């Protein structure tokens, strides 16, 4: 703890890159956040429920450029709390989240360039409609990966939506429910965009929709 405080004093106003893992000291993280440092990057590979969740909103600072969260929970899916990623994060360039349920309905990140959302759960509050609403606010996106595993395809069914123009898009990868929802048909981009589908196995009678 003392080493953390001394290190922060030496850094003064220098940008902070946080790397959080299972050995996280909550006292040390509190010291960093209380110091009001300029946090530009957070990369966390950590059990979400036990450690990072209480600090999550405090990590979403206006200076944040990169947020990479690979989380795991011990609870059953129906007991897992949704993590809200929200606020006007105008400096954010990269958002990668996997392994936990999130909501992005109240997130504004108009300068976002790289987006990856993967939720290995049958329960999700993120629908195809909310994804389109979010993409409409991120016209600078270059790479997109969206893979929300769900047995309830109607959860991601889309109503009408205005076409979304992503002029800088270079590649997009989608999961099964996103393919079935027809999400990609609402996106407009330059020719030559690489399109991929996360591998999934289905019955032979569903062959026309099969992805590899």
């Amino acid at each position: 703890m003392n080493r953390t405080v001394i290190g922060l004093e030496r850094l003064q106003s220098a940008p902070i890159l946080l790397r959080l893992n299972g050995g996280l000291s909550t006292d040390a993280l509190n010291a960093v956040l209380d110091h009001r440092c300029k946090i530009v990057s957070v990369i966390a590979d950590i059990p979400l429920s036990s450690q990072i969740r209480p600090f999550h909103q405090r990590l979403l600072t206006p200076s944040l450029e990169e947020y990479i969260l690979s989380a795991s929970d011990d609870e059953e899916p129906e007991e897992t709390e949704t993590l809200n990623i929200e606020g006007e994060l105008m400096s954010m360039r990269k958002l990668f989240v996997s392994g936990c349920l999130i909501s992005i309905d109240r997130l504004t990140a108009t300068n976002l360039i790289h987006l990856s959302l993967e939720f290995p759960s049958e329960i999700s509050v993120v629908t195809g409609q909310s994804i389109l609403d979010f993409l409409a606010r991120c016209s600078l996106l270059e790479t997109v990966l969206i893979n929300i595993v769900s047995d309830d395809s109607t959860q991601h069914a889309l109503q009408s939506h205005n076409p979304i123009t992503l002029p800088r898009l270079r590649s997009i990868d989608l999961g099964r429910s996103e393919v079935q929802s027809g999400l990609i048909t609402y996106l407009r981009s330059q020719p030559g965009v690489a399109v991929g589908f996360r591998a999934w196995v289905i019955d032979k009678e569903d062959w026309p929709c099969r992805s590899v």
Side-chain angles (χ1 to χ4, degrees), residues 130-148:
S130 62
I131 289 171
L132 284 177
D133 291 341
F134 181 71
L135 293 179
R137 304 193 295 269
C138 303
S139 61
L140 301 182
L141 279 169
E142 295 181 4
T143 63
V144 175
L145 188 158
I146 301 173
N147 183 27
I148 304 172

Side-chain angles (χ1 to χ4, degrees), residues 96-130:
F96 288 4
V97 181
S98 66
C100 63
L101 305 181
I102 72 164
S103 170
I104 54 175
D105 292 348
R106 292 181 288 180
L107 171 62
T108 301
T110 55
N111 292 307
L112 194 66
I113 296 175
H114 305 291
L115 173 68
S116 176
L117 304 176
E118 292 193 276
F119 315 135
S121 172
E122 296 178 2
I123 302 174
S124 177
V125 298
V126 179
T127 64
Q129 204 74 30
S130 62

Side-chain angles (χ1 to χ4, degrees), residues 40-97:
V40 297
S41 173
V42 174
I43 300 178
D45 185 359
I46 199 165
L48 184 64
S49 58
S50 60
Q51 292 181 301
I52 198 176
R53 192 181 292 277
F55 299 95
H56 164 69
Q57 194 58 44
R58 295 175 66 192
L59 292 169
L60 299 178
T61 64
S63 61
L64 191 62
E65 299 177 8
E66 174 184 70
Y67 191 34
I68 301 176
L69 174 60
S70 178
S72 62
D73 274 312
D74 296 329
E75 302 107 326
E76 294 298 323
E78 63 269 20
E79 298 176 354
T80 302
E81 180 184 353
T82 299
L83 193 69
N84 293 319
I85 298 182
E86 59 186 39
E88 295 188 4
L89 304 181
M90 309 309 291
S91 296
M92 182 173 282
R93 300 292 188 271
K94 179 186 291 187
L95 174 62
F96 288 4
V97 181

Side-chain angles (χ1 to χ4, degrees), residues 169-174 179 184 189 192-198 212:
L169 189 66
R170 295 186 285 108
S171 67
I172 181 168
D173 285 80
L174 299 175
V179 172
I184 199 170
S189 61
V193 173
V195 179
F197 303 104
R198 292 281 143 162
V212 295

